Amino acid sequence: MLEVDVTPGGDEYVDMPQSDQGLNSATVPVNQIELKEESNFERRMSAESVLDRLSTFPYQVFVLSEFGRPIFVSCGHEDQLCSLFALIGIFVSRVKLWGDRLLQFSSGDIHVRFCHRSTLILCIVSRSYEQLDEQLNILFDQIVSTLSRSQLDIIYKKKGDNYDLRRLLRGTDRYIDSSVSAWRSDISLLQSAIRVLPMPSSDREFLSSTMVSCLTASKLDVKKRIVEKMEGNSKFFASFQSCIDSPVLFSISQVGNGSDLLWSFLYKNRASRQVCISAVKVPLVSREERSSTRRLYERITHLVREEPHMRCLL
């Protein structure tokens, strides 16, 4: 039995039971135990506090099974948001019973977009309305890169409607989350294109020939064979690593007559779907300024895709 010795003007201690003392008996201050319990309690976030935090984010992405089982949310508190996941599932399933599909709805500056793919429901809640479908498609592609479409189709038939798909996706949360955040940092995703990686022509030729030879030689362990050949050429590998770690961006001074009126540019080759982006330049140098530029590119791209007479620009 624990006995508390309260000494006026002194510290409060708890004498540990004899069976728990071991060889080195010690006394533990009661106030320390209370502080630990309080900190543990504070770390446990309630559903209400998580919901309050959601309103502060510019966007939030949800992935759930068509049976309402939580799979992923970008804020990372799936278990505390079970009721919200269930509500999303009810929205989609109810409209489906009416013989229709729920695609989107808006309220003020909040835009909600739904995507029902295979046995999954994807939903994004965003303060911007541009290209929400593309963001959900990228997220779905990331998931099926881990689990094939056929697996998604049969997993619930074998395991039941209440199966937790997070068991199969365990350890891949960071990849799913990076695919969401990359949309707001990589303009090539915005353009549905491949970003050009500037590198010496000799290195590019070696990389291309290595990939072709490995693909034609064998269909087994192709990735491993390519990596082995790249690492075997120490000169190429060092140069290639440098291109990835510190890519050389195109200078605006190389475009046109070098006028100071050109602050930023983006070029996309429609045939190869490759895109190149200029390096930062005054006045678009701070994080907020570059973010504003990126949002402007997003709105222009959305306008081009939505307006039929401008689609020829894509």
Side-chain angles (χ1 to χ4, degrees):
M1 180 177 180
L2 297 179
E3 296 180 356
V4 180
D5 180 17
V6 181
T7 305
D11 294 331
E12 299 177 357
Y13 290 93
V14 174
D15 293 332
M16 301 301 294
Q18 188 68 28
S19 60
D20 294 337
Q21 287 180 354
L23 296 177
N24 298 321
S25 61
T27 55
V28 181
V30 170
N31 56 357
Q32 289 185 11
I33 297 177
E34 293 175 349
L35 286 174
K36 289 181 180 179
E37 291 178 351
E38 184 178 357
S39 62
N40 289 335
F41 175 79
E42 291 175 351
R43 283 196 294 267
R44 293 196 299 267
M45 297 185 63
S46 64
E48 291 78 7
S49 60
V50 175
L51 286 172
D52 290 339
R53 288 186 60 197
L54 291 183
S55 61
T56 64
F57 295 121
Y59 72 95
Q60 203 65 225
V61 178
F62 302 85
V63 181
L64 60 151
S65 71
E66 61 181 353
F67 309 105
R69 185 80 177 190
I71 296 175
F72 171 81
V73 61
S74 46
C75 71
H77 295 280
E78 292 91 354
D79 293 333
Q80 287 89 341
L81 296 174
C82 287
S83 58
L84 186 55
F85 277 100
L87 183 62
I88 295 173
I90 290 173
F91 280 158
V92 175
S93 60
R94 176 61 63 179
V95 176
K96 186 178 180 180
L97 289 176
W98 297 339
D100 205 345
R101 289 190 305 160
L102 178 61
L103 296 179
Q104 67 178 10
F105 62 82
S106 300
S107 176
D109 64 341
I110 302 298
H111 308 276
V112 184
R113 185 76 181 181
F114 300 90
C115 179
H116 195 175
R117 303 281 293 272
S118 186
T119 56
L120 301 182
I121 297 175
L122 298 92
C123 173
I124 181 170
V125 182
S126 175
R127 296 188 182 276
S128 62
Y129 61 88
E130 294 89 0
Q131 296 184 266
L132 300 182
D133 277 337
E134 285 76 6
Q135 298 180 53
L136 294 180
N137 289 336
I138 290 175
L139 182 59
F140 180 77
D141 291 341
Q142 178 63 50
I143 294 175
V144 297
S145 68
T146 305
L147 299 175
S148 64
R149 282 176 176 266
S150 58
Q151 284 182 295
L152 288 175
D153 292 337
I154 66 175
I155 188 65
Y156 290 104
K157 294 180 181 179
K158 290 185 176 181
K159 301 293 185 178
D161 299 347
N162 203 36
Y163 181 73
D164 190 352
L165 195 64
R166 288 177 292 181
R167 297 178 183 177
L168 296 180
L169 295 173
R170 187 171 299 162
T172 63
D173 284 359
R174 58 193 180 101
Y175 299 113
I176 298 176
D177 190 58
S178 65
S179 68
V180 176
S181 58
W183 177 266
R184 285 155 178 81
S185 59
D186 191 349
I187 296 183
S188 62
L189 292 177
L190 178 66
Q191 296 291 324
S192 300
I194 303 172
R195 189 164 186 171
V196 175
L197 183 64
M199 58 190 306
S201 57
S202 58
D203 291 345
R204 188 178 298 276
E205 183 178 352
F206 173 78
L207 178 60
S208 301
S209 60
T210 299
M211 295 177 66
V212 170
S213 62
C214 291
L215 288 171
T216 55
S218 174
K219 293 185 178 180
L220 299 176
D221 296 330
V222 174
K223 180 180 178 181
K224 182 179 179 181
R225 290 169 60 88
I226 293 176
V227 172
E228 288 176 350
K229 286 196 173 185
M230 290 172 57
E231 292 179 342
N233 189 331
S234 58
K235 182 179 179 181
F236 163 80
F237 190 76
S239 176
F240 183 68
Q241 188 70 38
S242 177
C243 291
I244 296 176
D245 295 338
S246 303
V248 178
L249 297 177
F250 294 92
S251 174
I252 295 182
S253 60
Q254 297 174 299
V255 180
N257 58 3
S259 173
D260 291 336
L261 298 178
L262 182 60
W263 294 346
S264 175
F265 81 89
L266 183 150
Y267 170 76
K268 177 180 177 181
N269 188 307
R270 294 174 56 191
S272 63
R273 304 192 70 82
Q274 292 181 335
V275 62
C276 64
I277 307 162
S278 63
V280 296
K281 176 186 175 182
V282 175
L284 307 177
V285 291
S286 69
R287 183 173 183 177
E288 182 178 354
E289 291 164 347
R290 286 184 282 117
S291 178
S292 298
T293 305
R294 193 258 173 218
R295 287 196 297 270
L296 182 59
Y297 279 130
E298 182 178 8
R299 291 178 181 177
I300 294 174
T301 304
H302 178 78
L303 178 63
V304 170
R305 290 182 175 178
E306 290 296 316
E307 297 296 332
H309 63 281
M310 299 183 67
R311 290 177 184 171
C312 60
L313 300 177
L314 290 176

